[in-house]
């Protein structure tokens, strides 16, 4: 037990300095504040105007969370595109990789900082939650589960974007490719996509494609049930792309 705790403390000691460096970097320039304002404005505009929140006459946040998978396609890659591409472009990549920290800790530390920043932006949408509680009596358990699902989904998108950012020094390319890959994970469970596979692929492959849908797992959580299978899906997605991130940075370092 003591050995396990010591191992955790040692690993946290590697990740924490990278996390602090990256997280403080977000607020060193006005860009973070501009992003948060755009994030909140976009969430509010889609909820109240596009989603006709007031006209629906229902005291819940289903409209608000219903837009998250689609808005994250653009908002999350905007965060992840700079994670590694900017380090390489500005020439700080070599300095970062010479720190006495394992490569995996560098990747995880940068990723967790981006995830925490996204979480702060998400938490700042609380006035929408206050509004719906003022107007009616929503099921706050469902809302809490939806927030957790949204945070996990953002984490999945961020891991994808981080891995892609590590493969290029061009932030625009990182943004576009990340949005495209996230889009594929978003629509993989759509009937239109599955109909294409049903025409020629075995059922097992079609079901495998459907199971990759971020929307399917997120929608299940927004029903108010945190099913372990949905949580494991998002954590597996994050772990897979962080592993690809580590491999990509290592290969680039070697090259």
């Amino acid at each position: 037990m003591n050995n396990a705790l010591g191992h955790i403390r040692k690993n946290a000691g590697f990740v924490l300095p990278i996390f602090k460096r990256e997280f403080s970097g977000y607020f060193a320039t006005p860009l973070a504040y501009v992003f948060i304002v755009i994030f909140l404005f976009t969430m509010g505009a889609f909820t109240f105007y596009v989603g006709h929140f007031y006209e629906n006459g229902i005291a819940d946040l289903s409209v608000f969370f219903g837009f998250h998978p689609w808005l994250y396609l653009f908002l999350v890659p905007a965060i992840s595109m700079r994670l590694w591409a900017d380090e390489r472009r500005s020439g700080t990549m070599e300095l970062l990789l010479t720190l006495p920290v394992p490569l995996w800790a560098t990747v995880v530390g940068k990723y967790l900082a981006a995830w925490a920043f996204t979480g702060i932006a998400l938490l700042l949408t609380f006035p929408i939650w206050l509004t719906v509680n003022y107007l009616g009596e929503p099921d706050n358990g469902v809302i809490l589960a939806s927030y957790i699902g949204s945070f996990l989904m953002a984490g999945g998108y961020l891991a994808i974007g981080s891995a892609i950012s590590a493969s290029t020094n061009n932030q625009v390319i990182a943004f576009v490719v990340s949005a495209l890959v996230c889009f594929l994970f978003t629509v993989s469970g759509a009937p239109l996509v599955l109909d294409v596979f049903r025409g020629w692929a075995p059922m097992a492959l079609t079901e495998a494609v459907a199971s990759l849908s971020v929307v399917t797992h997120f929608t299940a959580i927004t029903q108010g049930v945190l099913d372990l299978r949905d949580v494991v899906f998002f954590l597996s997605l994050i772990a897979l792309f962080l592993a690809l991130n580590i491999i990509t940075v290592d290969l680039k370092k070697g090259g």
Side-chain angles (χ1 to χ4, degrees):
M1 184 66 178
N2 289 335
N3 288 338
L5 289 174
H7 188 64
I8 291 173
R9 287 197 194 97
K10 182 180 177 181
N11 288 336
F14 286 134
V15 173
L16 196 57
I18 300 296
F19 175 86
K20 287 180 177 177
R21 170 190 179 273
E22 190 72 18
F23 190 72
S24 61
Y26 282 106
F27 298 97
T29 70
L31 283 176
Y33 303 98
V34 171
F35 174 84
I36 288 176
V37 169
I38 292 174
F39 184 92
L40 297 178
F41 174 79
T42 306
M43 289 291 180
F46 272 82
T47 300
F48 291 109
Y49 296 103
V50 180
H52 303 291
F53 176 79
Y54 292 114
E55 290 83 348
N56 291 336
I58 302 173
D60 65 24
L61 289 183
S62 57
V63 171
F64 170 65
F65 289 110
F67 285 115
H68 282 206
W70 309 103
L71 293 178
Y72 282 178
L73 287 178
F74 303 98
L75 295 174
V76 174
I79 298 174
S80 65
M81 67 180 186
R82 59 172 293 278
L83 279 175
W84 292 98
D86 191 51
E87 297 278 6
R88 189 169 284 112
R89 182 194 58 78
S90 60
T92 57
M93 185 81 163
E94 291 76 13
L95 176 63
L96 180 66
L97 296 179
T98 56
L99 294 174
V101 176
L103 177 57
W104 69 263
T106 303
V107 171
V108 172
K110 286 173 71 67
Y111 168 77
L112 289 179
W115 200 9
F117 176 71
T118 309
I120 289 174
L122 183 60
L123 283 176
L124 289 176
T125 62
F126 73 91
I128 299 177
W129 170 72
L130 291 177
T131 301
V132 77
N133 272 273
Y134 175 77
L135 295 174
E137 297 180 353
D139 187 334
N140 285 311
V142 171
I143 293 176
L144 177 61
S146 301
Y147 266 110
I148 293 172
S150 180
F151 185 57
L152 287 171
M153 181 171 58
Y157 283 176
L158 267 177
I160 292 171
S162 181
I164 292 170
S165 176
S167 66
T168 178
N169 59 359
N170 188 312
Q171 293 191 40
V172 175
I173 293 175
F175 175 86
V176 172
V177 177
S178 298
L180 177 62
V181 175
C182 290
F183 175 75
L184 294 176
F185 273 96
T186 302
V187 302
S188 63
L192 183 65
V193 175
L194 296 181
D195 285 344
V196 172
F197 280 87
R198 286 193 184 100
W200 59 273
M203 183 59 70
L205 178 59
T206 305
E207 291 177 352
V209 172
S211 70
L212 295 176
S213 171
V214 167
V215 172
T216 301
H217 293 281
F218 174 62
T219 302
I221 294 176
T222 60
Q223 304 306 308
V225 179
L226 265 176
D227 193 308
L228 184 61
R229 289 169 296 183
D230 299 317
V231 176
V232 167
F233 167 78
F234 284 115
L235 295 182
S236 300
L237 185 68
I238 292 169
L240 171 64
F241 278 92
L242 285 184
L244 291 174
N245 195 158
I246 293 170
I247 293 170
T248 304
V249 174
D250 196 35
L251 289 174
K252 288 279 186 179
K253 182 177 67 174

